[in-house]
Amino acid sequence: MMDDYIAVLLNEMEEHWSEFMNGSYFLEEARKKQAARALMDALTEAQTELFLAYEERQSALAVLREEVMTRQAFLLAREMYR
């Protein structure tokens, strides 16, 4: 039962995450995309494959960390307000 409301809150946050971000987030995102394009243009085909494999693992790790930290924040808040 406890996990149900946490899952609902997490899903709601995931669906509306961009509403919580400010302009600096989107500026940094644009800069990252520009840097990634420049890097991809400079890499060989083999280097590109290696970089994309690395980036995929890095993204998966970031998602897991975000999920764990968010869940822990909800659990901590629940304990604080009991």
Side-chain angles (χ1 to χ4, degrees):
M1 177 89 166
M2 183 59 60
D3 284 344
D4 293 341
Y5 84 86
I6 292 174
V8 168
L9 290 170
L10 290 173
N11 287 336
E12 183 69 16
M13 288 175 61
E14 286 176 9
E15 289 178 17
H16 300 281
W17 70 269
S18 65
E19 297 169 20
F20 308 126
M21 297 299 173
N22 61 26
S24 61
Y25 172 85
F26 295 106
L27 178 60
E28 287 304 316
E29 182 182 44
R31 289 175 177 162
K32 179 185 176 223
K33 286 180 181 179
Q34 183 179 14
R37 278 193 300 272
L39 176 62
M40 295 299 279
D41 289 345
L43 297 177
T44 66
E45 187 174 331
Q47 290 170 327
T48 298
E49 289 176 19
L50 287 171
F51 176 73
L52 291 176
Y54 163 80
E55 192 174 56
E56 184 177 327
R57 299 289 25 107
Q58 179 65 26
S59 294
L61 183 61
V63 167
L64 286 174
R65 181 183 186 280
E66 182 178 295
E67 288 174 355
V68 168
M69 295 300 289
T70 303
R71 179 169 292 279
Q72 289 306 115
F74 279 119
L75 293 174
L76 178 60
R78 183 191 75 186
E79 289 300 315
M80 290 174 60
Y81 291 102
R82 275 190 161 183

